[in-house]
Every structure is written in C-alpha cells, then in structure tokens.
Amino acid sequence: MPDLDHKRYVIGLTGGIACYKIAELVRRMLEQGAVIDVVMTEAATHFITPTTMQALSGRPVYLDTWDARIPNSMAHINLTRGADAILIAPASTDFIAKLAHGLADDLLSTLCVAKGSCPLLVVPAMNREMWQHPATQRNIAQLKADGASVLGPASGDQACGEIGDGRMLEPQEILAELIAFEQPKVLAGKRVVVTAGPTCEPIDPVRAITNRSSGKTGYAIAQALREAGADVTLISGPTALAAPYGVARIDVESARDMHGAVMQQAFTADIFISVAAVADWHVSNASENKLKKSADGQAPTLQFALNPDILAEVAALQNGPWCVGFAAETENLNEHAEAKRRRKGIPLLVGNLAQQAMNADDTTFVLFDDTGAHTLPLLPKLQAARQLVQAIAKRLPDRKA
Ligand code: C5P
C-alpha cells in the first residue's frame, strides 16, 4: 500500500522561484496515492501556471475567493474540510507574515484562517537575508506557537546567487516529511543507534570477506525510527543504499570499525538496534600488500580471529541503552533465536529466516521477548520496520534501566 493512500491534501503555492519544484512534488505525492487540491496565490502564477498544476494534479486549481465554479462560493471552507493537511510550499516571506497575523485577503490566506483543526505544514523558501530578518524569525516562531509544522529551510545555493539558509527542501525531502508526519510519534525525543548492512573484513588491500546483507532492513528501521520522532544515528557497513532522510550515517567497513563507532555512540543512546550482519571473525594474517599467486601453485592460508560481539558488549554496559538484536537463521528459527537472546542478555530479539529475508523487499519478523515469540505478518520491509518500532515503543521502560 502506498504511504499516502487515501490521504487528501491542499497544496498552497505562494510567490517564489521554488514553485517549479512543486510540479515534481505533486507527481511524487500522486505516486504515493495522495489526492491533491492545488491553491495558488496571484504571485505564484508568475512562477508556474495553473494549467501545469491542473494537468499534474488532475484536479481543478483554485486561485480566487470568488471562483464561480464553486456552487456555494465557499472554496475557503470546503477545501480543507476532510483534508489531512494543508501544505504551503513554497511559503514566501510575505505569506508567512500573513499567516502569522491571521490576514485573510485572498483564497489561500483565508483558507488557512478557516482551516479549523486541519494541520498546517509550512515549507519556507526565500533569500537568506529575508529568512534571517527578525520579522521573519518572529513570524516563524509565532506559526510554531500556533501549532504549524515548519519544514526546513535548507541551506545552500540560492536562485539569487547568494549562499545561505532559506532554500526550500527538495521535493523528495518534503515527501519524506509528509510521510513522517502521518506516522505516530511513539519515540519522540529518543536517541537511537542502529547498525545495518554487512561488514567487510580485509584479506589484503584489494580483497575482502563480506556477506550478502543488503542493508535494506536496517535502513528501513532507521527510516521508521526517524518517522516516529527519534534522533537516529545509522552505523552502516558498505551498502548501495542512500541514507534515509533526516538520519545521520556513519560509514564503517570492518566489524572492528563498527565496534569502535558503536561504543562511541552507545553511552548517549536510549536504544541500540543491532541489525548489521557482523562478521564473527576477521583475517588475523591480512596482508599489507596484495597477495600474489605463488610460483609453486600453493593457495595462501588465511588465519582467523574472533571479532568483538558488539551487541553483547553494549547489552552488558552499566546504564546502557535498551537493546534489540537480530538473528537471521536458516533453520530452527525459534530455538536459535531465543537461545541467542538469552546469551546476549537482551530484552528483544527479532528473528527472520535468512533465505527469505536476505536482499528481499518483504520480510516476516518474529519478535522474541520474555513472554515468548510473536510473529508479525509478511510485509514490505518499511512497513515491517514501522510495526517493529511500535513494538519497541510498547516495551521500552519509562526510564533507562
Ligand atoms: O552472534 P550472532 O551473529 O549469532 O547474533 C546476531 C546479532 O548479534 C545481531 O543483532 C548482530 O548485529 C549482532 N552481532 C554483533 N557483533 C557480532 C556478531 C553479531 O553485534 N560480532
């Protein structure tokens, strides 16, 4: 099921060059199942045409309080009733000022005052001086105090040639924020460290031993945690995946690198989720130079040494984070997973069948805790991750142990 299925939004465009990016945003939102009514201020029509927005949204575009197409002449009321949110993007300096003061002199501003309980999301886009102006900052603070969510702005190159704060978030980022907005904030304010992906153990500078973990499960969990309001650090072995929006990623290669990165972060974490497929051994006689084929046809002999068990070490920390482990097994899942949970001394372990889960897009999580085994349905990894996040929030003690 797409993430915005059956959701209805009003997108309000105001005057700013970033209007062109809203064409793309509308496309991406429709792909996620959203229904969109576009409302434009007069200034917005100088940057993108209502025809473009109508063709993309597949619905009439509203510009005017006195729109004769509305039988009861009440577009300013009708459009937000039953809507899941109003998204003002781009939100200009002027429009933000109007919102902060409750002005209602065109359709979009009137609709925002008449919105009742419909949530308001504001995506600022302006020159850095306009953003930093004390009046704008006052207005933004007022909007937040009034319950609006302010998304961004980002920092970087601006259309005017200056560099600084005030850039509108990119369409994919706005979409990620919107999808996150729909998720319950069950881990608001919690700091979570997640490991993901394979580790990679060098044999020599050009060869390594790794495993088939794609990182998809760990990355989906990092995204779901961020959507639930957590502050997420993802410590990742080598994968081809992009870091989920709003998640800080630390890249590592070997299990010993991962161990170092985790131990630095774990003390300040509320929760540690160990999803990575960490190699149990590293090559203890790894060569500094590339190993050459020997003239006598002998293959080199590799020697192995144990890697640190990162999860067990974090679980044993005094006043450490609440720990969740993973187990990918090829057989006897329940037996192996529960034994592993006890051995590592952790309150929750998630088991799945390696042959089904590895590199797949869907997964069945089985949760093992003190009360037994609980099987979640087969789901796309992001949806399974969201269910896991709910399950973690339910089990998390009020205060760190
Ligand atoms: O020890 P085993 O690999 O069977 O257990 C799997 C769980 O332990 C996973 O959560 C994995 O991330 C974690 N692990 C670890 N350090 C290791 C090996 C596994 O943290 N060296």
Side-chain angles (χ1 to χ4, degrees):
M1 194 177 69
D3 283 326
L4 301 179
D5 205 28
H6 290 106
K7 299 284 177 189
R8 194 167 78 71
Y9 298 99
V10 174
I11 297 189
L13 284 78
T14 73
I17 186 63
C19 275
Y20 80 94
K21 294 191 177 176
I22 305 306
E24 176 72 12
L25 174 65
V26 166
R27 290 296 299 267
R28 299 285 87 84
M29 286 173 66
L30 291 186
E31 281 170 7
Q32 293 297 328
V35 174
I36 300 168
D37 285 314
V38 175
V39 180
M40 300 172 70
T41 63
E42 200 271 331
T45 64
H46 292 270
F47 293 96
I48 191 166
T49 69
T51 312
T52 302
M53 297 313 298
Q54 177 158 338
L56 293 174
S57 67
R59 292 166 70 85
V61 168
Y62 299 90
L63 306 168
D64 184 5
T65 319
W66 320 113
D67 193 327
R69 293 169 302 177
I70 309 290
N72 66 355
S73 269
M74 296 217 193
H76 66 292
I77 309 284
N78 304 351
L79 282 170
T80 60
R81 298 302 181 259
D84 289 282
I86 305 169
L87 181 75
I88 308 293
S92 65
T93 314
D94 175 63
F95 197 79
I96 287 170
K98 280 168 82 167
L99 280 177
H101 290 85
L103 295 189
D105 64 356
D106 62 8
L107 176 60
L108 188 58
S109 55
T110 309
L111 167 157
C112 288
V113 178
K115 72 181 185 60
S117 59
C118 183
L120 177 64
L121 287 81
V122 177
V123 195
M126 65 195 72
N127 165 269
R128 67 190 172 109
E129 296 292 357
M130 296 170 88
W131 172 252
Q132 275 159 13
H133 194 284
T136 305
Q137 290 304 310
R138 269 198 311 276
N139 292 332
I140 287 288
Q142 184 62 55
L143 288 189
K144 289 180 180 169
D146 290 346
S149 301
V150 177
L151 310 182
S155 197
D157 291 342
Q158 305 205 305
C160 54
E162 297 181 1
I163 299 171
D165 291 344
R167 273 175 66 94
M168 191 178 75
L169 296 186
E170 294 300 329
Q172 286 295 356
E173 297 173 335
I174 300 173
L175 180 66
E177 290 282 14
L178 205 53
I179 291 170
F181 180 77
E182 301 295 345
Q183 302 303 319
K185 299 290 172 268
V186 290
L187 291 179
K190 300 288 181 202
R191 205 177 108 63
V192 189
V193 173
V194 186
T195 65
T199 57
C200 188
E201 304 297 334
I203 295 172
D204 69 16
V206 297
R207 302 184 182 91
I209 299 176
T210 186
N211 60 62
R212 294 184 193 279
S213 168
S214 64
K216 285 180 192 169
T217 301
Y219 278 57
I221 289 170
Q223 178 178 337
L225 288 162
R226 201 264 171 182
E227 290 174 350
D231 168 7
V232 187
T233 301
L234 175 64
I235 299 176
S236 175
T239 73
L241 304 173
Y245 172 67
V247 167
R249 184 173 71 183
I250 299 173
D251 291 320
V252 295
E253 294 262 329
S254 71
R256 285 169 295 164
D257 294 344
M258 185 173 276
H259 174 253
V262 169
M263 295 322 283
Q264 270 195 359
Q265 300 284 328
F267 288 100
T268 53
D270 297 296
I271 304 171
F272 174 56
I273 310 182
S274 180
V275 194
V278 185
D280 292 318
W281 315 284
H282 64 269
V283 180
S284 56
N285 61 343
S287 169
E288 266 180 37
N289 299 312
K290 187 181 167 190
L291 295 171
K292 309 301 281 178
K293 259 188 210 163
S294 67
D296 60 7
Q298 288 289 308
T301 305
L302 298 181
Q303 284 161 9
F304 291 91
L306 274 180
N307 277 330
D309 189 322
I310 304 168
L311 176 58
E313 219 174 289
V314 175
L317 286 176
Q318 283 277 326
N319 209 24
W322 198 80
C323 289
V324 182
F326 266 72
E329 302 292 343
T330 51
E331 59 193 345
N332 300 335
L333 176 63
N334 286 29
E335 224 171 276
H336 290 318
E338 182 53 24
K340 196 169 286 186
R341 187 179 82 85
R342 288 179 188 282
R343 196 167 62 241
K344 305 228 177 202
I346 53 174
L348 181 63
L349 184 129
V350 184
N352 51 24
L353 282 172
Q355 55 274 42
Q356 281 173 14
M358 279 207 143
N359 217 357
D361 291 326
D362 297 341
T363 189
T364 303
F365 285 159
V366 187
L367 311 190
F368 297 88
D369 64 11
D370 282 340
T371 65
H374 315 270
T375 305
L376 301 184
L378 175 69
L379 287 168
K381 285 185 171 171
L382 180 57
Q383 287 179 37
R386 287 181 183 143
Q387 291 208 0
L388 173 62
V389 166
Q390 301 270 346
I392 290 171
K394 259 192 224 146
R395 289 164 173 80
L396 195 65
D398 279 347
R399 280 139 55 89
K400 278 197 330 188

